[in-house]
Amino acid sequence: MSSVRVAVRVRPLNKREKKLSSQRIIQMNGNTVSIHKSSLAGGNEQNEKGKSFTYDFSYDSSDRQSPTFVSQERIFQDLGCDVLKAAFEGFNACVFAYGQTGSGKTHTMMGHEEDRGLIPRVCEGLYREMAQRSKTDVSFHTEVSYLEIYNERVQDLLKKKTLTEGGLLKVREHPKHGPYVENLSKHLVHSHSDMEELIVLGNAHRTTAATGMNDSSSRSHAIFTIMFTQAWLDAELPRETLSKIHLVDLAGSEKADATRTTGIRLKEGANINKSLVTLGSVISALADLGVGEQSTKKQQLFIPYRNSVLTWLLRDSLGGNAVTTMIATISPADLNYMETLSTLRYASRAKNIVNSPTVNEGGSAKVIRELQAEVKRLQQLLEERIQVPEMLNSNRNPLQYAVALTKEWTGKWGETQTEDAVALRTEGSGLIIDCKLPHLINLNEDLLSTGMILYYLKEGRTLLGGNEPSSGQNILLRGPGLLGEHCVLESRAGTVTLLPQGGALCLVNGSVVTDSCQLTQGAIIQLGRGTRLRFNHPAEASQLREKNQKIVGLHWLNAAKRSQPEPRPALLILTEAGLYTLTADSGRLVVFHRLPLLRLKEIRIGLAGQSVRLMGTTEESILGVYTYSQSCTKELCRAILEVSRPGNSRVSQSPLLSGNLMKMSLDWQISVPDLLLDAGLRVCCQFQKSLADLVYLLHCNMDKTAVRLGGVQLLLYTSVAACVNSGAQSERLAQFLLTDTHFGLVREDAVVESATVEPSRPRFHDLTLRRCSDLRCILVHDEDERGCVRLDLILTNARGRGHPESVPKAASPSARVSDSSSLAEVWKLTFRCSAEAACLINHLSNV
Ligand SMILES: Nc1ncnc2c1ncn2[C@@H]1O[C@H](COP(=O)(O)OP(=O)(O)OP(=O)(O)O)[C@@H](O)[C@H]1O
């Protein structure tokens, strides 16, 4: 018997809560969590003391600086390690996160690249532990499935929606094994990186949406399941255990008014709440069972597992055969008092659920073990000269039967290892054979041969030979010069070696081999005088692919990210799988940012197409790219989309990728629709919002009596290399802007904007603004070999309006007038595009 373990975790205040000056109402003391009723929730002196609940674990993650701060690693050490322990002992395990929407369930279960949650850490831990145990004679077999329950329907997150109509799957009940999802794909995994890839793929397919409470709210319940089998011979007795690990990220419980939900979100909310209400009823009923009312109530108590898909599928984890942990996630803010209290009550109730986990022994192994035990018992009887039942001498002699079954089991286990290892799939008009085990492909030169043979290599020895079928070869080949026992291929823990037998002629990649030789991916093996085979090692190939991904494009640009928001020169390497940004650090190139393309969620084009903001699933993943030209922006975006969403015709038709971004940006009337692509990838812009921000900043720094806010009209906004003031030598990259009456330089931040953290500076900053009438003359230099044009703007009576130091924030701009100077001021500007320089010259000459 084991009680459900319950942990409570409080997250930091979010942006919304801070904006509303929320009070913290959660205190954690040891494993006791106290919630105080705030004035906002109608608190008064009397109940100010609040309510307290005690759990198995309490985690205060509300303040990173606090000494009591609990990290993702600590949660893994406390809860994840127990999941692994249970799995290796043969128990089922389940961890589910429950809590209000936006309270931190996904953060705790999945986390993000820089701060990984429980699921990726459990997967990593599983492989770490397997590697440590690999020296023992235990074999492991791991399969993974990942599903979501959205609006009470089950969808496979690891498969494109082609299986059944809309990709929806049915839940059925197996008489022996209980509820299961029909046709749910199971993926055999060989390595931690295989598992990570599946997680990323599944997450990309998950249904999320922005709600009032969470910008990226999970609208579905997601169940990531690892089916983990271990098999070994224990003193000649076969042993096999199968553990199912369910890692569940529930959708958030929510009040319709709190999230200001309507339409689709409201319907989702109703379904989410329906499952959670059923989960609550199940927990409640089980808790009643657990607190010692079994005798009176057990018979009468009905557990409503089947009232929702979620509880039906998790039946074994709730009051059944599993070691189960619930993580209740809460907000620290008084705003959410009622929801937090309800979560704490829910969690407290769950503590009373008692499960009865048992080691899940593989069916056939169990029968054999029981038979072996029977044999032992009978042998003992023999030794004691007690009359032995007839059975021992009959055909169904348990000893022979057990030996036969053991043999069969060993064979079957081997098969399960290779089952699913070879699969056929179609791609376009081609047929692809996927084989996860190391294998050989026959490169037959016989012109009349039309088939292709693939020989997979199981763990252990494989004897190859020809011509003499009686030699007991595992792989029988035909060809001149082949001996009966030609060579042995030995596969051990991912390494395959070839050992020639008795003077047989073997060549690997054209060199004669006489001793043991390790084979590597793609090796060409020649046996005898004509038999040629190609060796493939899928695991090694996948590692090599990772290391050696095909480079699709290189871009030298400037880049920034949240933790380092100043643009810096960067090399962007676009590969088939991700975008790598390298920068120089003390003379060495270092990876500044990495964005797997599967995780790419948003491409936002900056004002006039001068920058791009690429965002993955978290704010930390934001990469700001300063392209300084709309053509470069379009080129980069097209390249990324061509790799991540190939062949999508809507990409080329989108005005964002084909239109004039400058024109679209500076015209208040043009509204550019977002482009929504597969797996929730959005290509968008916020031209009008950015334009409004910029115009407001400009207007604040102009002479307000002369220009109305509505009269500020932007004519040009482009990147230039600028050197302002005659003395200064160094050029800096900035945005040049031109209005009817003014021109200026400003810097734009491509990273800024954060749902949870107040940005440290406004989108537009460091503004230097001049009246057009301040201009005395323009010197136009010849175009250089790159087509760039330099203009020297010569200004007299320089009056610094909105000088860099005078513009701390867009919201509170000031118009400090700098010292007048009798010296002329020179702005040396280099325009990348001569048309833009011409536009400036035309306008200023007219003035
Ligand atoms: N412990 C934490 N530390 C730092 N940030 C957190 C923590 N928990 C949550 N957050 C942040 O709060 C936001 C909401 O969290 P998350 O998406 O995990 O909530 P959720 O409970 O899964 O919401 P929903 O039910 O709507 O999917 C995210 O931006 C997340 O990064």
Side-chain angles (χ1 to χ4, degrees):
M1 292 289 197
S2 120
S3 293
V4 167
R5 291 186 323 157
V6 179
V8 171
R9 184 183 202 193
V10 60
R11 64 153 165 76
L13 285 171
N14 65 24
K15 195 179 168 189
R16 177 171 168 265
E17 291 160 349
K18 280 189 199 153
K19 219 178 207 166
L20 296 170
S21 309
S22 297
Q23 305 291 312
R24 288 169 194 267
I25 51 165
I26 300 296
Q27 259 181 3
M28 292 186 163
N29 195 353
N31 288 334
T32 302
V33 180
S34 310
I35 176 166
H36 300 274
K37 203 168 189 178
S38 70
S39 51
L40 204 108
N44 54 37
E45 290 291 308
Q46 214 182 9
N47 56 25
E48 205 59 8
K49 254 182 91 197
K51 298 185 171 55
S52 296
F53 302 84
T54 303
Y55 303 96
D56 299 295
F57 300 94
S58 77
Y59 297 126
D60 184 352
S61 302
S62 61
D63 179 5
R64 226 164 239 285
Q65 310 309 327
S66 156
T68 54
F69 174 80
V70 174
S71 63
Q72 303 272 58
E73 173 61 18
R74 161 87 187 281
I75 290 178
F76 167 71
Q77 290 299 340
D78 280 357
L79 310 179
C81 287
D82 276 358
V83 167
L84 295 177
K85 183 165 172 276
F88 280 95
E89 285 172 0
F91 294 106
N92 291 337
C94 172
V95 181
F96 66 95
Y98 174 87
Q100 183 193 2
T101 179
S103 58
K105 296 179 294 296
T106 307
H107 181 85
T108 301
M109 295 306 292
M110 198 55 80
H112 47 82
E113 217 175 321
E114 293 82 13
D115 200 12
R116 294 175 318 138
L118 205 52
I119 296 179
R121 285 173 197 262
V122 164
C123 296
E124 189 183 25
L126 189 71
Y127 276 92
R128 204 172 35 231
E129 187 65 34
M130 277 195 250
Q132 270 168 15
R133 295 176 187 227
S134 66
K135 287 182 196 73
T136 62
D137 281 332
V138 185
S139 302
F140 304 103
H141 178 91
T142 313
E143 286 181 336
V144 159
S145 62
Y146 197 6
L147 63 85
E148 75 170 355
I149 306 169
Y150 177 64
N151 280 340
E152 282 301 279
R153 286 150 178 227
V154 181
Q155 291 182 6
D156 192 335
L157 290 174
L158 299 181
K159 227 171 187 182
K160 285 232 159 143
K161 300 177 182 175
T162 51
L163 240 189
T164 51
E165 200 189 322
L168 301 177
L169 304 176
K170 291 200 171 75
V171 181
R172 301 206 180 278
E173 177 112 24
H174 186 280
K176 214 163 125 207
H177 306 301
Y180 70 99
V181 178
E182 191 179 51
N183 285 331
L184 178 69
S185 64
K186 288 182 187 161
H187 300 253
L188 184 69
V189 278
H190 291 282
S191 65
H192 172 224
S193 63
D194 282 358
M195 228 185 227
E196 274 209 321
E197 263 175 39
L198 291 173
I199 293 175
V200 173
L201 179 71
N203 289 347
H205 289 154
R206 204 174 162 195
T207 309
T208 56
T211 64
M213 297 284 288
N214 187 354
D215 274 355
S216 176
S217 173
S218 314
R219 311 306 295 159
S220 63
H221 308 295
I223 307 182
F224 182 76
T225 305
I226 306 171
M227 284 140 290
F228 176 61
T229 312
Q230 302 172 90
W232 70 101
L233 283 169
D234 181 6
E236 298 298 305
L237 297 183
R239 299 290 307 267
E240 188 183 308
T241 60
L242 167 69
S243 319
K244 257 190 203 172
I245 309 172
H246 286 312
L247 301 167
V248 188
D249 180 11
L250 297 177
S253 56
E254 60 189 51
K255 276 199 314 196
D257 61 337
T259 54
R260 281 178 268 116
T261 43
T262 52
I264 296 177
R265 300 283 91 83
L266 196 62
K267 182 180 168 208
E268 280 171 357
N271 275 318
I272 290 169
N273 284 339
K274 179 184 160 197
S275 317
L276 295 174
V277 166
T278 311
L279 180 64
S281 321
V282 168
I283 289 179
S284 223
L286 290 168
D288 284 348
L289 279 181
V291 287
E293 296 173 47
Q294 291 97 320
S295 48
T296 48
K297 285 200 174 169
K298 196 162 191 166
Q299 262 82 49
Q300 307 144 26
L301 256 180
F302 168 70
I303 315 286
Y305 288 116
R306 288 184 77 141
N307 283 5
S308 78
V309 174
L310 175 74
T311 46
W312 192 12
L313 281 178
L314 291 184
R315 192 176 71 183
D316 242 1
S317 307
L318 300 164
N321 173 22
V323 176
T324 300
T325 306
M326 170 183 185
I327 308 177
T329 53
I330 54 173
S331 142
D334 54 359
L335 277 183
N336 301 314
Y337 175 80
M338 288 311 295
E339 289 84 349
T340 304
L341 183 61
S342 139
T343 302
L344 292 175
R345 286 199 172 123
Y346 212 99
S348 184
R349 200 103 178 93
K351 268 192 324 182
N352 296 323
I353 302 177
V354 179
N355 281 2
S356 329
T358 49
V359 171
N360 300 306
E361 207 169 349
S364 46
K366 194 169 169 200
V367 171
I368 297 165
R369 237 161 32 84
E370 282 167 5
L371 274 170
Q372 294 274 27
E374 178 66 5
V375 169
K376 232 182 198 159
R377 192 180 68 80
L378 293 172
Q379 275 171 341
Q380 233 165 20
L381 288 177
L382 254 183
E383 277 163 21
E384 290 164 14
R385 294 171 193 280
I386 298 172
Q387 213 186 349
V388 180
E390 273 297 284
M391 194 185 166
L392 253 184
N393 298 319
S394 74
N395 284 349
R396 228 10 193 7
N397 176 335
L399 181 60
Q400 287 168 4
Y401 189 43
V403 170
L405 277 180
T406 306
K407 219 170 160 186
E408 192 181 309
W409 173 84
T410 315
K412 269 207 183 130
W413 172 251
E415 274 165 31
T416 60
Q417 294 284 36
T418 52
E419 194 180 279
D420 288 350
V422 185
L424 274 185
R425 69 185 158 90
T426 52
E427 198 170 285
S429 53
L431 193 61
I432 294 181
I433 304 176
D434 282 326
C435 178
K436 299 205 167 178
L437 292 178
H439 57 269
L440 299 170
I441 291 174
N442 199 357
L443 305 175
N444 205 326
E445 282 165 12
D446 178 356
L447 285 180
L448 299 180
S449 157
T450 54
M452 190 195 82
I453 308 176
L454 181 149
Y455 306 100
Y456 56 75
L457 303 170
K458 294 184 193 172
E459 189 76 2
R461 268 176 114 249
T462 303
L463 176 63
L464 279 75
N467 303 340
E468 297 166 39
S470 56
S471 299
Q473 309 92 334
N474 304 96
I475 296 177
L476 179 65
L477 301 165
R478 280 177 221 295
L482 282 175
L483 304 185
E485 292 185 13
H486 200 92
C487 66
V488 167
L489 294 188
E490 181 127 17
S491 175
R492 294 261 172 241
T495 305
V496 180
T497 46
L498 180 147
L499 183 64
Q501 301 290 293
L505 175 64
C506 301
L507 288 87
V508 174
N509 292 332
S511 308
V512 175
V513 173
T514 51
D515 217 343
S516 173
C517 160
Q518 186 179 335
L519 298 177
T520 52
Q521 163 60 23
I524 301 292
I525 304 170
Q526 185 186 323
L527 304 179
R529 290 194 302 280
T531 307
R532 291 173 76 236
L533 302 153
R534 178 188 153 119
F535 171 73
N536 280 341
H537 195 314
E540 188 188 330
S542 116
Q543 278 171 8
L544 287 172
R545 262 199 305 276
E546 227 166 75
K547 278 192 206 151
N548 192 17
Q549 283 163 13
K550 200 170 146 217
I551 293 179
V552 182
L554 292 176
H555 303 261
W556 276 104
L557 297 164
N558 279 12
K561 59 182 178 183
R562 269 232 349 230
S563 53
Q564 287 156 285
E566 269 317 301
R568 61 192 60 214
L571 172 63
L572 269 63
I573 304 180
L574 178 64
T575 71
E576 286 167 334
L579 180 71
Y580 298 83
T581 305
L582 309 184
T583 52
D585 182 13
S586 322
R588 279 184 326 122
L589 267 188
V590 291
V591 178
F592 175 71
H593 190 275
R594 190 173 74 95
L595 182 63
L597 292 182
L598 264 175
R599 295 197 187 160
L600 181 62
K601 285 278 158 206
E602 186 182 282
I603 300 180
R604 190 187 296 173
I605 296 177
L607 194 65
Q610 305 295 301
S611 64
V612 187
R613 183 178 183 269
L614 302 168
M615 186 174 174
T617 43
T618 63
E619 282 181 25
E620 282 70 18
S621 65
I622 295 176
L623 178 74
V625 183
Y626 296 83
T627 55
Y628 301 116
S629 103
Q630 60 166 304
S631 58
C632 187
T633 292
K634 286 189 251 180
E635 191 188 319
L636 176 68
C637 294
R638 273 197 222 110
I640 293 175
L641 291 171
E642 190 48 48
V643 179
S644 58
R645 305 292 185 276
N648 195 318
S649 57
R650 286 188 304 131
V651 168
S652 53
Q653 289 155 12
S654 165
L656 282 170
L657 296 156
S658 55
N660 184 335
L661 297 178
M662 172 90 76
K663 198 162 164 240
M664 287 192 282
S665 299
L666 305 186
D667 187 340
W668 292 105
Q669 310 296 323
I670 299 180
S671 124
V672 189
D674 291 357
L675 174 64
L676 274 174
L677 298 167
D678 290 352
L681 173 59
R682 180 187 297 270
V683 186
C684 59
C685 65
Q686 287 195 337
F687 292 158
Q688 293 188 343
K689 182 177 180 305
S690 308
L691 186 60
D693 287 349
L694 182 58
V695 165
Y696 175 64
L697 173 69
L698 295 177
H699 184 248
C700 289
N701 286 283
M702 290 172 175
D703 180 358
K704 290 188 197 65
T705 52
V707 189
R708 285 179 305 108
L709 179 61
V712 179
Q713 197 192 344
L714 218 60
L715 304 172
L716 183 65
Y717 182 80
T718 188
S719 301
V720 290
C723 172
V724 176
N725 276 334
S726 39
Q729 287 307 311
S730 65
E731 286 188 328
R732 69 178 171 110
L733 283 162
Q735 304 304 128
F736 180 85
L737 57 94
L738 173 69
T739 75
D740 267 357
T741 51
H742 290 72
F743 60 89
L745 290 166
V746 72
R747 293 182 69 202
E748 182 182 348
D749 196 324
V751 182
V752 91
E753 269 190 45
S754 161
T756 49
V757 187
E758 195 66 49
S760 56
R761 59 184 179 185
R763 174 170 205 101
F764 298 99
H765 52 96
D766 289 2
L767 173 69
T768 311
L769 198 61
R770 294 283 183 273
R771 278 205 192 105
C772 292
S773 54
D774 287 346
L775 184 77
R776 300 299 301 209
C777 78
I778 306 176
L779 290 185
V780 184
H781 297 259
D782 283 343
E783 244 181 58
D784 71 8
E785 64 284 0
R786 293 167 301 155
C788 298
V789 177
R790 209 182 95 197
L791 303 183
D792 292 347
L793 308 189
I794 299 164
L795 308 145
T796 53
N797 286 335
R799 289 189 303 272
R801 286 191 187 79
H803 198 264
E805 296 90 298
S806 71
V807 189
K809 273 192 178 237
S812 55
S814 64
R816 186 163 65 89
V817 178
S818 68
D819 292 342
S820 291
S821 161
S822 54
L823 287 176
E825 184 172 295
V826 182
W827 288 20
K828 293 177 181 163
L829 307 177
T830 307
F831 286 78
R832 196 182 260 229
C833 167
S834 55
E836 288 167 359
C839 165
L840 175 66
I841 296 168
N842 276 342
H843 181 77
L844 293 181
S845 343
N846 290 338
V847 170

